[in-house]
Amino acid sequence: MATASVQGMPTQEAAPTPGPTPEAEPAQEPEPTLEWDWTGNVPLPHFSFFLNQYLPLYHVKKIQSASLETEIHEQLATLVKTADKSCELIGDVFEGWALPPVVVGKLEDSPRVHLMLVYNDMVCGDKEDDQHYFATVNTKDTNSGYLRLVTAEEGRFTAKYKDVIYISAKKMSEYCLQPAGVGGASSSEGPADLKTILSKQVVAFPHPKWPKKAEGWAKRERISGWPSQDMIKKIMLAGCHVVPWSHPQSKTKEIDWQYSFAVAERILMQSLTDIQRQCLMLLKIMYYESLSFPRILTPEHIKVLFLWECENIPQADWTDESLPSILLCLVDRILHAVIYGEIPHYFLGNTNVIDHIHEEFIFDLMPRISNVRQNPLQKLLDFSRLHTFPFWPRNTSWTQLIEPILADIESQQDDLQKGFINAILPASQTIAKCHIDEGRFEEGVETYRDLSQRFKDVLSRDVGSVLSNLTSVALSIEDLDISVGFHEYLAKTFSDDSRIASLKGNLGCMYHAKYHEVTTDEEKQQMATKTEATFQEAIASPGSSIATRTDYANFLCQTGKYEDAIPQLLQIIEGRTSQPSAGNMYTKEEYKTVDENIQREIDAHKQISAPSYIYSYYLLVASYVALGQVEDAKEILKEFEEAAYSLKDDAAYSLLGYSFVRVENYKSATVAFAKAVEINPKNELAMENELTNTALAMSLEDG
């Protein structure tokens, strides 16, 4: 198989310092240093890399609710057939921040998928609006953010309290869509089926005019400029709803209602960037790991604080690099809110959404939040011990995957490049290899893409070299089927990459190996055709190496097509000066694709590698002998001997020795194997070959 040289880390030269004399010394750029979060005892670049492997951004981008929403609305249309009712799908699934379904473990109340059944003809509003409403809003003697709905006449939905007729929240809650007769799960991938959604209904009345108590939301100044004025106008024109939810400490729960801004929240959440949603989802994971039990804070409280923070940080400032800092800042915000016992309602700023939490629970929460802040990385690792997302490695724990990172954190060194080389690079290689070995090719590729983009300032290669790294990983895969599959995936994914010729050549080698595994004549013919076509495509690609052509010639020889192999081999030998460093290496993975001499070398040394033109001489001699052109073989051996002498490599001399054996020149073979031993005295196979051919030469002389 073709091999590539390994590039080292480059040195970065700074521009000369301006000065009056040409002798001015160039300015020395300071070594990049690690930026630490000392409260959490974690270097931010390490944490950034981990976060984007733990919850990859490309998986966050995949979370789309549009198709699921359309499908569910189509099913609901069979139940809601009149214009006086409509359905709004709400919850984290449709807001775009639901965690992926776990394949191991269980998350309570996540993801949240709720149905808001809106009675469109039961419109509510303020008495001062001077409009005819089904019911008017009364906030007297209610908790902040809550209300009661006054109506003029008693009916089956009403309740009387202190001589005032109210719409009964309790009675209206019973008028939901009935799930009876509804069956079948949604065909979409996701957490929602119609039965589940119908079991999480809430009745709602339209409140088309924006509430006066929420006018401050529209007018307040926002550092980030989010939401935009156009979005604010759109939300206000849509109004809000009222739902039959009461304050936890209310004594009149039967008649208490609450303003609902669920539709507005859905609009806001769907406008977030992928990194913003990624941050919120990571925060939710921390919540489920350390704060969800007992149920004091809820994910909704976390979302409220998050929305406030979005108003403080411009969307352009939410980047891969800033993700760790913002995430930790949000944990600080949660701690601050709990210490002061206040989380302001996002729309009704004067309403405290945790005013019902007892002081005793506050004191219980504070140390747990502090512990999250002081050990953010560990909390995410703790979560992974009990839960597994489908895109995580299944057979290796996250603690094992990032072992180099944990060791580097423990050393508390502050050199960014050293941290990259010693910790982040090996961790990324381990993560990618685990993904690929388990058949998750996309995750393996994205691991390297993320690495090259995030650390391009300290990497020795640009983003395009992702393919070079992945090709090396592909060659290390022991399972042939997985190796073939991954090579095919890379060939498709990087079809426009300038390095594709080498990859296609390696894929040809994989197909050659598969050729020797299939059993029927039909399968062998199909695989042979596929192998040859792949090699020819690789050779025709720009940047093709003579190493790939050598692998192709080896395939032709092993399948008996010696006449086709000879022109390829002669072309390699004639053009060797153009690519003198090109080489081929054969290991146990290619064992069946080489002849018995090369197999013996693999048995003895686990591998054999030599320049491509040396292999070509070896194969050319074999081809001539197989075709009965022994004199041509002897003639080419003269060139081969000169090439081996110039190279002074024990593998080259061993291949020369095997070639002399083919023409029954055992004396010259003995000399060649002796040269191999002279160069590498530890080459026991060459010693054995030397002795064998010495005996054969002597027996011929005696005879």
Side-chain angles (χ1 to χ4, degrees):
M1 186 174 292
T3 60
S5 59
V6 180
Q7 301 178 16
M9 301 292 286
T11 56
Q12 296 181 350
E13 296 183 359
T17 304
T21 64
E23 291 79 19
E25 292 290 331
Q28 296 296 316
E29 290 187 357
E31 290 294 327
T33 57
L34 277 175
E35 183 181 355
W36 280 73
D37 178 84
W38 292 109
T39 303
N41 191 34
V42 62
L44 296 180
H46 293 53
F47 197 32
S48 173
F49 169 76
F50 170 72
L51 293 177
N52 281 278
Q53 297 303 315
Y54 189 86
L55 184 63
L57 191 60
Y58 63 92
H59 271 293
V60 175
K61 291 178 179 179
K62 287 181 179 179
I63 299 174
Q64 301 291 337
S65 62
S67 59
L68 179 62
E69 189 170 352
T70 300
E71 181 178 342
I72 292 174
H73 272 302
E74 289 175 354
Q75 296 181 58
L76 287 170
T78 63
L79 301 176
V80 182
K81 299 180 179 180
T82 57
D84 62 335
K85 298 185 188 72
S86 61
C87 298
E88 296 285 354
L89 296 173
I90 59 177
D92 57 8
V93 169
F94 301 105
E95 292 172 351
W97 61 293
L99 294 179
V102 294
V103 294
V104 175
K106 184 179 180 181
L107 294 179
E108 296 295 332
D109 299 331
S110 182
R112 294 191 322 108
V113 181
H114 289 172
L115 169 67
M116 190 160 68
L117 179 62
V118 183
Y119 282 79
N120 294 317
D121 57 346
M122 298 181 178
V123 180
C124 304
D126 296 330
K127 187 176 181 179
E128 303 85 66
D129 294 342
D130 196 27
Q131 293 188 29
H132 177 71
Y133 290 124
F134 168 72
T136 55
V137 171
N138 184 339
T139 58
K140 184 179 179 182
D141 298 328
T142 61
N143 296 92
S144 181
Y146 294 85
L147 55 105
R148 294 169 186 156
L149 296 176
V150 180
T151 185
E153 299 179 359
E154 291 189 70
R156 57 176 178 167
F157 302 132
T158 64
K160 208 168 189 179
Y161 178 73
K162 293 185 177 180
D163 296 328
V164 180
I165 302 171
Y166 297 101
I167 301 297
S168 170
K170 180 180 179 181
K171 293 177 182 178
M172 277 306 307
S173 296
E174 297 172 357
Y175 281 83
C176 296
L177 295 176
Q178 297 303 312
V182 176
S186 167
S187 62
S188 300
E189 290 187 10
D193 60 71
L194 195 54
K195 277 188 176 181
T196 301
I197 292 174
L198 291 176
S199 69
K200 297 181 179 181
Q201 293 181 65
V202 60
V203 169
F205 295 159
H207 191 294
K209 193 168 182 181
W210 193 250
K212 289 184 174 62
K213 290 181 178 292
E215 288 179 350
W217 171 81
K219 298 176 182 178
R220 66 175 176 244
E221 293 186 8
R222 295 171 168 88
I223 298 173
S224 69
W226 179 92
S228 66
Q229 287 301 312
D230 287 343
M231 190 180 300
I232 291 172
K233 290 178 182 177
K234 176 183 177 180
I235 289 172
M236 291 183 68
L237 285 173
C240 65
H241 296 86
V242 294
V243 293
W245 291 339
S246 60
H247 188 276
Q249 296 176 343
S250 172
K251 296 180 180 179
T252 55
K253 294 181 183 293
E254 184 180 354
I255 57 173
D256 282 358
W257 296 69
Q258 183 184 28
Y259 286 112
S260 171
F261 299 90
V263 175
E265 288 177 9
R266 188 179 65 195
I267 294 171
L268 291 169
M269 296 297 290
Q270 289 178 348
S271 75
L272 298 178
T273 66
D274 292 326
I275 291 180
Q276 285 177 309
R277 292 191 294 124
Q278 180 188 30
C279 184
L280 181 54
M281 291 161 70
L282 287 164
L283 193 64
K284 188 195 283 190
I285 291 174
M286 290 179 167
Y287 164 82
Y288 279 119
E289 171 54 34
S290 300
L291 306 177
S292 62
F293 185 82
R295 191 80 163 182
I296 302 169
L297 290 181
T298 69
E300 287 299 304
H301 294 142
I302 304 298
K303 182 177 77 172
V304 170
L305 287 169
F306 179 82
L307 289 172
W308 280 103
E309 199 63 20
C310 287
E311 294 195 359
N312 293 326
I313 304 174
Q315 285 193 331
D317 291 347
W318 294 74
T319 64
D320 289 337
E321 292 75 18
S322 66
L323 175 63
S325 297
I326 295 176
L327 177 63
L328 296 176
C329 174
L330 284 163
V331 178
D332 288 332
R333 293 284 186 268
I334 297 172
L335 180 59
H336 181 276
V338 169
I339 289 173
Y340 287 91
E342 182 179 11
I343 298 179
H345 192 289
Y346 180 67
F347 292 96
L348 307 170
N350 293 326
T351 299
N352 178 11
V353 298
I354 60 170
D355 62 356
H356 60 285
I357 298 179
H358 194 274
E359 188 178 77
E360 178 183 343
F361 294 122
I362 295 291
F363 287 139
D364 175 73
L365 269 175
M366 286 190 290
R368 288 195 281 139
I369 300 171
S370 294
N371 190 255
V372 172
R373 182 62 181 85
Q374 292 166 13
N375 303 280
L377 178 55
Q378 187 58 51
K379 292 304 174 184
L380 294 172
L381 292 177
D382 290 344
F383 177 88
S384 70
R385 290 191 178 96
L386 299 176
H387 308 86
T388 300
F389 292 128
F391 49 82
W392 281 359
R394 292 184 290 272
N395 301 321
T396 310
S397 71
W398 274 105
T399 301
Q400 293 172 303
L401 291 169
I402 65 165
E403 186 175 342
I405 289 178
L406 298 176
D408 200 53
I409 292 173
E410 188 69 23
S411 71
Q412 296 199 345
Q413 62 88 19
D414 61 357
D415 186 309
L416 176 58
Q417 188 152 331
K418 186 182 293 184
F420 172 78
I421 295 171
N422 294 341
I424 295 172
L425 184 58
S428 68
Q429 292 169 340
T430 301
I431 293 169
K433 185 67 164 53
C434 285
H435 282 313
I436 295 164
D437 283 343
E438 295 177 11
R440 290 186 303 280
F441 301 150
E442 180 183 13
E443 283 77 2
V445 169
E446 291 299 332
T447 296
Y448 273 103
R449 276 192 171 139
D450 177 72
L451 179 78
S452 62
Q453 293 169 359
R454 190 178 306 280
F455 297 98
K456 57 186 175 183
D457 292 337
V458 294
L459 267 172
S460 63
R461 304 173 186 177
D462 57 14
V463 174
S465 67
V466 170
L467 181 57
S468 299
N469 289 307
L470 288 168
T471 300
S472 298
V473 174
L475 296 176
S476 70
I477 299 171
E478 295 183 2
D479 186 293
L480 181 58
D481 289 330
I482 292 179
S483 183
V484 168
F486 188 49
H487 274 88
E488 291 173 336
Y489 180 83
L490 292 179
K492 182 178 180 180
T493 304
F494 294 91
S495 58
D496 297 330
D497 195 284
S498 61
R499 304 165 183 82
I500 195 65
S502 175
L503 175 71
K504 288 181 178 178
N506 291 339
L507 181 56
C509 292
M510 296 293 103
Y511 286 153
H512 184 188
K514 287 287 289 183
Y515 166 84
H516 291 281
E517 284 200 347
V518 296
T519 55
T520 68
D521 291 341
E522 182 180 358
E523 289 175 323
K524 280 191 174 295
Q525 182 57 47
Q526 290 176 348
M527 191 54 66
T529 302
K530 193 173 187 179
T531 303
E532 185 156 6
T534 303
F535 272 128
Q536 289 179 350
E537 187 178 345
I539 292 170
S541 299
S544 176
S545 167
I546 62 173
T548 298
R549 192 180 291 272
T550 303
D551 285 327
Y552 175 41
N554 176 61
F555 164 72
L556 293 173
C557 290
Q558 299 310 310
T559 52
K561 297 181 178 180
Y562 297 106
E563 291 182 347
D564 294 335
I566 289 173
Q568 299 291 335
L569 295 166
L570 289 172
Q571 186 172 343
I572 295 166
I573 293 169
E574 291 170 4
R576 68 181 187 179
T577 55
S578 63
Q579 298 180 29
S581 63
N584 295 73
M585 179 174 68
Y586 296 100
T587 65
K588 63 180 181 179
E589 282 74 24
E590 293 88 41
Y591 193 85
K592 293 181 179 180
T593 70
V594 293
D595 65 26
E596 61 182 9
N597 293 326
I598 305 299
Q599 288 178 353
R600 290 182 67 208
E601 293 290 326
I602 295 172
D603 288 336
H605 309 297
K606 296 184 179 179
Q607 65 177 45
I608 178 173
S609 61
S612 298
Y613 67 90
I614 293 293
Y615 275 119
S616 296
Y617 276 122
Y618 172 79
L619 292 171
L620 188 56
V621 171
S623 297
Y624 282 140
V625 171
L627 293 172
Q629 300 171 219
V630 178
E631 293 304 315
D632 290 330
K634 290 179 179 179
E635 193 65 30
I636 206 68
L637 270 167
K638 296 176 183 178
E639 292 184 29
F640 191 179
E641 191 170 12
E642 291 178 5
Y645 178 80
S646 300
L647 187 62
K648 292 181 173 57
D649 175 76
D650 64 321
Y653 271 112
S654 288
L655 293 173
L656 177 63
Y658 292 128
S659 298
F660 275 122
V661 172
R662 288 188 192 277
V663 296
E664 299 181 356
N665 187 343
Y666 302 116
K667 187 174 182 180
S668 294
T670 300
V671 173
F673 287 123
K675 284 285 187 183
V677 175
E678 181 182 330
I679 294 169
N680 181 9
K682 295 182 179 180
N683 191 333
E684 295 181 1
L685 179 58
M687 294 180 195
E688 179 185 331
N689 288 331
E690 179 188 358
L691 293 173
T692 301
N693 282 277
T694 299
L696 288 170
M698 291 176 65
S699 66
L700 287 177
E701 290 178 1
D702 293 341

